[in-house]
Amino acid sequence: MISTDPQWYLGDDLLTPIERRKGIPIGNLTSQFLANLYLDDFDYYMTETLKIDAYIRYVDDFVVLSDDKKELHLIREKIRDCLASQRLRLHPRKAHITPTSQGLDFLGYRVFPTFRRLRNDNRHRFARRLRYLSHAYQQNKVTWKTVNSSIQSWIGHAKHADTEGLCKKIFSANMLVEEFT
């Protein structure tokens, strides 16, 4: 769990963490818009100041790629300093350096150099949701429209990874297969 202790930045006095509310609302379009607006200067810093070519950001998730591990450690420290100047910080458990051959968690996928897979938690959560929807639909507790929109949403996400076998496995284990296919 992330610490909820007050955070102090350069120039803060004793009461600053209490006076300044922390964070922006999550889960809506406003938060996405504000994150993109707020991190525009960070994008400029990464691409123009640090001259990083292999930099990807989606809302508040970002990745830096390099063949040089020492360079990545240096970049991470520069990122920490830059974000601190904007009163932001890296997630303590997610700002790690790892070889791409081990795969990279990004936007609900496990990304490898030559393919993508859905993260396990995503796959398990959807399988549970589909089982629930299947039973609820059979008992007339939810409409087909509700079931179908949930399935289509997940398929829209899953289709960007190598999931053909996974989809067959998940959907064949549920009673909805005949109606869905």
Side-chain angles (χ1 to χ4, degrees):
M1 174 171 262
I2 296 176
S3 169
T4 56
D5 296 336
Q7 297 293 312
W8 280 273
Y9 296 91
L10 188 63
D12 286 356
D13 62 24
L14 183 63
L15 299 178
T16 301
I18 296 168
E19 294 168 349
R20 293 182 68 112
R21 293 186 58 199
K22 189 162 108 178
I24 58 176
I26 60 172
N28 60 39
L29 293 175
T30 305
S31 67
Q32 294 171 21
F33 172 76
L34 291 174
N36 285 330
L37 183 69
Y38 201 71
L39 291 173
D40 184 58
D41 289 339
F42 179 72
D43 291 339
Y44 183 84
Y45 175 75
M46 296 294 284
T47 58
E48 302 300 321
T49 304
L50 295 183
K51 305 283 186 201
I52 298 173
D53 293 327
Y55 163 69
I56 305 163
R57 182 178 67 79
Y58 180 78
V59 187
D60 63 344
D61 293 326
F62 65 90
V63 174
V64 177
L65 300 169
S66 174
D67 293 326
D68 186 344
K69 191 173 182 178
K70 289 179 184 177
E71 179 187 23
L72 288 171
H73 283 285
L74 180 63
I75 290 169
R76 182 172 55 188
E77 291 313 308
K78 289 180 178 182
I79 288 171
R80 280 194 174 115
D81 293 342
C82 176
L83 290 176
S85 73
Q86 297 181 43
R87 306 185 63 77
L88 299 170
R89 61 190 167 107
L90 293 173
H91 190 286
R93 291 187 313 271
K94 294 182 180 178
H96 53 271
I97 296 169
T98 184
T100 55
S101 61
Q102 292 179 6
L104 164 71
D105 280 337
F106 191 63
L107 304 178
Y109 301 99
R110 187 83 177 159
V111 182
F112 295 87
T114 58
F115 63 95
R116 283 183 303 273
R117 295 248 166 90
L118 284 180
R119 286 189 358 211
N120 284 337
D121 60 332
N122 182 310
R123 182 180 69 210
H124 294 302
R125 190 172 38 254
F126 179 71
R128 275 193 308 272
R129 173 94 176 130
L130 188 58
R131 281 192 302 274
Y132 163 77
L133 288 171
S134 178
H135 293 293
Y137 178 70
Q138 290 171 359
Q139 296 171 356
N140 293 320
K141 292 181 179 178
V142 297
T143 65
W144 177 249
K145 182 178 179 183
T146 300
V147 173
N148 190 44
S149 66
S150 184
I151 290 170
Q152 294 304 323
S153 175
W154 184 80
I155 289 173
H157 178 69
K159 73 179 180 181
H160 296 289
D162 301 320
T163 57
E164 182 178 345
L166 171 64
C167 288
K168 287 179 182 176
K169 181 179 177 183
I170 288 176
F171 291 117
S172 67
N174 289 279
M175 300 301 287
L176 294 173
V177 139
E178 294 82 24
E179 293 186 53
F180 177 70
T181 55

